[in-house]
Amino acid sequence: MKARRWWWSSAAMAALALAAIAAQEAGAAGCAGDAELERQILRRLLGQVEVREEGITVEVECGVAVLRGAVASIGEAERLERLASGIVGIRSVANRVAVAPTTRSDLAVAQEVRRRLERYPRLRRPTLMVSASDGVVTLSGEVERDLDGRQAESIAADVAGVRRVVNTVRVTGEERPDDALVQSRVMSLLANPLTFGAVRDLRVRVEDGIVVLEGTVAREADRHEAERLAGGVPGVAGVRNDLVVENR
């Protein structure tokens, strides 16, 4: 059964318009440009995410955006944050968006996750195990590539009613390179202006496949992108993102 999709209601759109007007009137109380940043975020969010009728509210104070409201899944909440952090001038995002309660049973949520995973051939052999309890989905089993495990987690996070994903999937089909090689690969990717190059004073450490990123970036979006890129490097088992967004 296809999951129910929630779009911006007329009431939510009206709330967004009122929020923008209120932000403009209150602009003098915060930093210059806050009201315009709020309008840019609202425009970007409008029509690009699925939200409940309560809608999403955005407040910006000196470049720090605070998001509130309710969405159908943790995946949607994370997309909201990525969209907002990609606005030039936003230094960080406080994501206080909640996953709205669902009337779907744990069994129905687990079945929906399993159906979506089975659309991808690499996630069928062998079949991953899925269980759900009070909005928390647990994935277990084996995959051939680390990338497959991360894809399974992303797919599960987008199912309505999922508040969190616990990923215990093991990678068995690829031999993990040594930490020195992983460090070299991550550094080459992130330090090269042609592939990224957005981190100042970049430092990369690797311990048992776990990559630690240190340095400074100009935007929250750059911080997220660096983590995403590092996580896709062969041999990376996880990423600890200690990058700092510079204060302007």
Side-chain angles (χ1 to χ4, degrees):
M1 183 177 65
K2 188 175 180 180
R4 185 176 182 182
R5 303 173 71 87
W6 296 83
W7 299 98
W8 296 89
S9 67
S10 58
M13 294 178 66
L16 292 181
L18 291 173
I21 294 172
Q24 185 174 17
E25 294 175 347
C31 295
D34 282 349
E36 176 58 27
L37 288 173
E38 288 186 4
R39 286 192 292 271
Q40 289 184 36
I41 293 174
L42 291 171
R43 283 197 297 267
R44 176 167 290 191
L45 300 187
L46 185 62
Q48 295 194 39
V49 292
E50 299 171 343
V51 299
R52 294 184 67 89
E53 293 182 357
E54 293 87 340
I56 299 297
T57 63
V58 179
E59 297 176 5
V60 178
E61 184 173 348
C62 297
V64 177
V66 180
L67 308 180
R68 294 185 177 89
V71 292
S73 69
I74 188 62
E76 293 177 13
E78 292 170 350
R79 267 198 303 281
L80 283 172
E81 182 173 343
R82 288 196 296 271
L83 288 168
S85 65
I87 299 291
V88 175
I90 294 298
R91 296 187 295 108
S92 64
V93 177
N95 192 346
R96 297 174 185 167
V97 174
V99 176
T102 179
T103 57
R104 306 174 78 192
S105 66
D106 290 337
L107 178 60
V109 170
Q111 288 176 336
E112 177 66 20
V113 172
R114 195 173 294 111
R115 279 194 293 269
R116 295 194 186 192
L117 293 177
E118 289 175 352
R119 297 174 186 170
Y120 298 85
R122 295 196 65 91
L123 301 179
R124 295 181 196 152
R125 301 184 302 270
T127 302
L128 295 178
M129 277 73 77
V130 181
S131 62
S133 177
D134 194 25
V136 179
V137 168
T138 300
L139 303 176
S140 58
E142 298 177 350
V143 291
E144 294 182 353
R145 304 181 304 172
D146 183 65
L147 182 62
D148 297 332
R150 289 198 300 274
Q151 182 182 26
E153 181 176 343
S154 177
I155 292 169
D158 267 341
V159 172
V162 174
R163 298 186 296 105
R164 186 163 66 93
V165 179
V166 178
N167 190 349
T168 64
V169 173
R170 295 187 299 114
V171 180
T172 61
E174 59 185 17
E175 184 177 348
R176 178 172 292 163
D178 60 44
D179 289 345
L181 179 57
V182 173
Q183 180 186 32
S184 175
R185 288 173 173 174
V186 173
M187 179 65 78
S188 297
L189 177 65
L190 297 185
N192 188 341
L194 296 178
T195 52
F196 191 59
V199 184
R200 290 193 293 104
D201 302 322
L202 174 64
R203 297 178 298 282
V204 178
R205 294 185 287 111
V206 183
E207 300 174 1
D208 294 329
I210 304 299
V211 173
V212 180
L213 303 178
E214 298 176 327
T216 305
V217 292
R219 303 184 303 160
E220 185 73 15
D222 295 332
R223 183 175 181 276
H224 287 296
E225 181 65 6
E227 180 175 341
R228 187 189 70 81
L229 290 172
V233 171
V236 172
V239 179
R240 194 181 88 193
N241 194 343
D242 290 342
L243 295 175
V244 176
V245 179
E246 64 183 354
N247 294 318
R248 292 183 173 181

